[in-house]
């Protein structure tokens, strides 16, 4: 038995999170794509069946009150809050990440002084964030400036209204320094807007601790909410009275059933709501979040780093030198919960890996991307993935 196999057995035996694997529907496939779509929590199908058959099928319209449909956006927001370091009452769930990025950016610009005419955006961002930022700048008459996170401190000025940054780079897995960048943005008098899609549920975020102004994130990656599950919007408590949503729907009205022709926003984070909540996917998400009961985000982070360390070690052991190159930072403070390997024939390699039961994904033009969800990925999974990768590359 090889040294990596023996070490995997030892690490799995000592893993305090190992029992959580039983809370998911899994098979013999090594699933390392939870940074795109999380695995199915085992309690979700029964919950969705109850929502469809009883809440919708029997109670029908009564479920808005009797089944708590009406309060789901803020109730589920409070379930997400501790996973991103936020106190209750600051997160509302609903709409897509893209829509929430738009709300957050335009609201941030509206809260800034009129003479702040520049918007900064992460030049390495997921494309949609860039598209939305360009539209928000055009809509509000601001100039958009794309800079890398490392360039943000020197790019900030008294012209900056807001900066939109990604906590973790979706291609490389690089973790950006949210505390120091937020502090630098605030020192310039601007507002910080963070995209948490690749960090929430994988590592501590500390929204309240670090004074983040606004944040958004999806729920179908490390939060395992299911395909297309609704995203969330965080509005720091002291900013909520000033949060002026560019999408003032009836659901965020102070008196939604008053049907007033004029808009009066609801108090608190509720003003981040827009239209009728997508109840089926929202309540599937609520069920999925139950897997986090009694789970420490710190423990998740510790296992995440151990998994990625072990994967890099196994890749080095099983592949020829120079065949692949890690583009994910080695220092723990700069690494999210994924490993990205540069490989000349990455697209074909990933197809062959998937055919052999190791599922990651490919990012154009030459990146093999592997996501490590500590709630259900084992060290044996990691060893097998690296071993199969070595065989495929050979």
């Amino acid at each position: 038995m090889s040294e990596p196999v023996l070490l995997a057995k030892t690490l799995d035996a000592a893993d305090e999170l190992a029992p959580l694997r039983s809370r998911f529907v899994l098979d013999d496939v090594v699933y390392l794509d939870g940074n795109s779509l999380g695995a199915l929590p085992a309690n979700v199908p029964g919950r969705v069946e109850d929502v469809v058959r009883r809440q919708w099928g029997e109670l029908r319209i009564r479920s808005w009150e009797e089944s708590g449909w009406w309060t789901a956006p803020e109730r589920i927001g409070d379930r997400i809050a501790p996973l991103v370091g936020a106190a209750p009452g600051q997160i509302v769930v609903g709409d897509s990440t893209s829509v929430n990025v738009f709300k957050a950016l335009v609201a941030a610009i509206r809260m800034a002084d009129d003479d702040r005419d520049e918007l900064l955006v992460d030049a390495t961002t997921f494309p949609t964030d860039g598209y939305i930022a360009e539209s928000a700048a055009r809509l509000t008459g601001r100039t958009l400036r794309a800079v890398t996170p490392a360039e943000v401190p020197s790019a900030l000025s008294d012209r900056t209204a807001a900066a939109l940054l990604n906590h973790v780079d979706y291609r490389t897995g690089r973790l950006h320094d949210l505390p120091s960048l937020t502090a630098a943005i605030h020192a310039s008098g601007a507002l910080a807007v963070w995209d948490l899609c690749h960090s929430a549920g994988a590592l501590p975020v500390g929204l309240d601790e670090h004074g983040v102004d606004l944040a958004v994130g999806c729920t179908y990656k490390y939060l395992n909410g299911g395909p297309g599950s609704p995203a969330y919007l965080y509005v720091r408590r002291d900013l909520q009275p000033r949060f002026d949503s560019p999408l003032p729907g009836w659901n965020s009205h102070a008196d939604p059933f008053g049907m007033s022709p004029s808009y009066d926003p609801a108090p608190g984070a509720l003003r981040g709501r827009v239209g009728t909540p997508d109840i089926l996917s929202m309540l599937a998400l609520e069920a999925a979040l139950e897997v986090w009961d009694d789970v420490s985000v710190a423990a998740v982070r510790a296992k995440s780093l151990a998994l990625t360390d072990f994967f890099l070690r196994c890749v080095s052991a099983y592949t020829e030198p120079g065949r692949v190159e890690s583009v994910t930072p080695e220092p723990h403070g700069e690494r999210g919960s994924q490993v990205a390997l540069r490989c000349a024939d990455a697209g074909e390699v990933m197809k062959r890996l998937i055919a052999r039961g190791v599922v990651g994904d490919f990012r154009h033009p030459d990146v093999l991307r592997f996501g490590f969800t500590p709630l259900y990925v084992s060290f044996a999974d990691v060893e097998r993935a690296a071993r199969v990768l070595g065989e495929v590359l050979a």
Side-chain angles (χ1 to χ4, degrees):
M1 192 175 291
S2 69
E3 186 270 340
V5 172
L6 288 171
L7 182 53
K9 288 181 176 292
T10 300
L11 291 169
D12 278 331
D15 177 17
E16 65 178 285
L17 299 181
L20 298 176
R21 187 181 176 95
S22 66
R23 300 183 186 180
F24 293 86
V25 177
L26 297 166
D27 49 25
D28 292 335
V29 168
V30 176
Y31 189 65
L32 300 182
D33 209 8
N35 54 330
S36 285
L37 176 64
L40 172 65
N43 65 320
V44 170
R47 186 67 56 80
V48 170
E49 182 177 12
D50 176 72
V51 172
V52 172
R53 293 188 180 277
R54 183 183 63 85
Q55 297 183 28
W56 179 15
E58 297 176 14
L59 296 178
R60 293 178 287 273
I61 196 71
R62 291 162 54 192
S63 275
W64 285 105
E65 292 293 334
E66 295 180 27
S67 300
W69 290 1
W70 185 258
T71 57
E74 59 267 31
R75 183 178 70 243
I76 301 171
D78 284 346
R79 290 294 298 264
I80 293 172
L83 303 180
V84 293
Q90 299 174 101
I91 294 179
V92 64
V93 173
D95 306 310
S96 67
T97 305
S98 302
V99 171
N100 283 320
V101 169
F102 179 75
K103 294 181 207 170
L105 271 184
V106 174
I109 293 169
R110 288 176 173 178
M111 285 188 272
D113 294 338
D114 291 341
D115 56 352
R116 291 182 173 269
D117 60 358
E118 188 172 77
L119 176 65
L120 300 184
V121 66
D122 184 347
T124 62
T125 189
F126 187 76
T128 287
D129 285 21
Y131 305 156
I132 296 293
E134 193 279 330
S135 178
R138 184 157 36 91
L139 183 71
T140 59
R142 263 61 177 185
T143 300
L144 182 65
R145 184 178 176 191
V147 296
T148 66
E151 295 169 333
V152 166
S154 60
L156 292 163
S157 72
D158 57 6
R159 291 183 54 198
T160 309
L164 170 64
L165 301 173
N166 285 256
H167 197 191
V168 174
D169 186 293
Y170 80 100
R171 291 187 189 89
T172 67
R174 175 179 289 277
L175 172 65
H176 297 300
D177 191 342
L178 181 148
S180 68
L181 287 171
T182 300
I185 293 166
H186 287 168
S188 76
L191 282 82
V193 183
W194 284 92
D195 183 330
L196 309 179
C197 285
H198 287 271
S199 58
L203 52 91
V205 177
L207 293 179
D208 287 354
E209 177 185 359
H210 303 302
V212 168
D213 301 298
L214 300 133
V216 302
C218 66
T219 61
Y220 46 78
K221 294 182 171 63
Y222 297 109
L223 298 182
N224 311 296
S229 57
Y232 57 90
L233 169 68
Y234 165 88
V235 183
R236 200 178 70 218
R237 192 178 308 279
D238 63 301
L239 293 180
Q240 290 172 4
R242 298 169 54 204
F243 182 83
D244 182 8
S245 175
L247 298 173
W250 77 281
N251 234 249
S252 63
H253 197 283
D255 182 16
F257 294 99
M259 303 302 166
S260 170
S262 59
Y263 181 71
D264 179 20
L270 293 180
R271 59 182 60 193
R273 294 173 62 151
V274 183
T276 305
D278 41 354
I279 290 298
L280 298 183
S281 58
M282 189 167 291
L283 296 187
L285 167 63
E286 184 172 34
L289 290 170
E290 291 176 5
V291 303
W292 287 93
D293 290 348
D294 304 317
V295 175
S296 160
V297 176
V300 167
R301 175 59 169 166
K303 183 178 177 183
S304 164
L305 292 171
L307 288 168
T308 49
D309 279 343
F310 185 53
F311 182 67
L312 289 168
R313 178 174 176 173
C314 289
V315 168
S316 179
Y318 287 133
T319 63
E320 297 178 8
R323 185 65 175 88
V324 295
E325 172 198 1
S326 175
V327 295
T328 300
E330 185 174 339
H332 286 179
E334 300 174 17
R335 187 194 310 167
S337 198
Q338 72 181 54
V339 172
L341 302 176
R342 181 167 287 127
C343 174
D345 47 351
E348 183 59 32
V349 168
M350 184 53 69
K351 290 178 184 178
R352 295 169 65 191
L353 283 172
I354 292 172
R356 294 191 55 180
V358 175
V359 177
D361 63 21
F362 162 66
R363 285 294 178 264
H364 186 79
D366 58 0
V367 170
L368 301 169
R369 198 177 69 152
F370 302 94
F372 298 83
T373 304
L375 299 184
Y376 54 77
V377 172
S378 70
F379 290 92
D381 289 334
V382 170
E383 184 277 332
R384 177 182 160 193
R387 176 163 36 87
V388 173
L389 173 63
E391 294 168 359
V392 166
L393 292 175

